[in-house]
Amino acid sequence: MTRYLIRISVDRYPGDPEQSNAHYRAHPLTWEELDLTATCLGEKMRWQAKHDRDAFKEVWLLFDNEHGRFPLYPGESVWVEYAYTVGHEKWGNWFQRAVRLPTEQLEVQLVFPAALDPVVWGTETSMTAEASPLRTPPIRGDAGEQWTFTWITTTPALHARYRLEWRFRAQPEPDSDQGEFR
């Protein structure tokens, strides 16, 4: 394999497509704010934009960098790690990951300010089943002013979707009709 596809799709107002579309036309998600980084076997990976829309980015992670190539050969397995940042003004209170390739372990980490008193939960959906609670809960780690929620699953099923959601108990909930905090 010489490239790996990732998709970043944001939706600040998941129940209101018109409001989301208007929001992202006025405030598009940019590559600069994403600050995307990726590594494989400790090597920095280059990336190439495939789709660039206001609320949707698709990226090829390339198994190379300025020092050379490091392809993934049949039968081999490696850790591919990537990270990006999206501010709360562009993201909704959710993160979803679909499994499209055979995967031995999937790990998701969410980092929030502790002052917001976050709570995190998740669901799993497959091609044959409705959403059900994750088999293992996200684990909270305290690091001073930040809380990190880590969720890990091993040998996830192909085409399964894992969705983590959160809310901040120390912050007012947004008014879903107006998009403002109450």
Side-chain angles (χ1 to χ4, degrees):
M1 176 184 299
T2 59
R3 58 189 183 172
Y4 178 76
L5 184 67
I6 63 170
R7 178 179 295 170
I8 302 166
S9 180
V10 294
D11 193 352
R12 183 71 183 101
Y13 308 101
D16 189 342
E18 287 181 28
Q19 186 175 11
S20 280
N21 288 339
H23 178 73
Y24 292 110
R25 273 192 300 276
H27 310 284
L29 183 64
T30 67
W31 293 110
E32 291 76 27
E33 71 187 305
L34 282 175
D35 192 25
L36 175 65
T37 60
T39 60
C40 175
L41 299 170
E43 295 271 0
K44 182 179 175 185
M45 299 175 78
R46 283 189 321 114
W47 57 267
Q48 180 179 52
K50 180 178 179 191
H51 291 289
D52 184 358
R53 305 286 188 272
D54 291 343
F56 170 82
K57 307 289 188 223
E58 217 168 48
V59 179
W60 286 113
L61 297 182
L62 306 175
F63 286 80
D64 68 34
N65 59 30
E66 66 274 6
H67 304 294
R69 295 180 180 215
F70 41 94
L72 178 60
Y73 293 103
E76 290 185 328
S77 63
V78 295
W79 281 89
V80 174
E81 297 183 48
Y82 59 92
Y84 54 88
T85 301
V86 178
H88 75 278
E89 66 282 352
K90 295 199 180 161
W91 196 278
N93 287 7
W94 60 275
F95 172 84
Q96 184 168 288
R97 181 70 169 94
V99 176
R100 294 187 180 95
L101 294 171
T103 302
E104 290 182 18
Q105 180 173 311
L106 175 63
E107 179 175 331
V108 176
Q109 290 185 344
L110 303 169
V111 181
F112 300 109
L116 293 176
D117 193 17
V119 61
V120 176
W121 65 95
T123 56
E124 175 182 351
T125 306
S126 72
M127 295 177 76
T128 59
E130 294 291 320
S132 60
L134 294 173
R135 295 176 196 164
T136 58
I139 304 298
R140 187 182 91 193
D142 299 350
E145 296 182 15
Q146 293 185 329
W147 288 354
T148 300
F149 291 84
T150 303
W151 175 75
I152 300 172
T153 187
T154 56
T155 59
L158 278 177
H159 308 295
R161 289 186 184 273
Y162 299 96
R163 184 178 179 100
L164 295 170
E165 299 182 58
W166 56 87
R167 70 181 178 88
F168 302 122
R169 293 179 285 210
Q171 183 179 32
E173 294 294 319
D175 182 335
S176 59
D177 293 334
Q178 303 299 318
E180 298 176 0
F181 289 98
R182 52 181 160 136

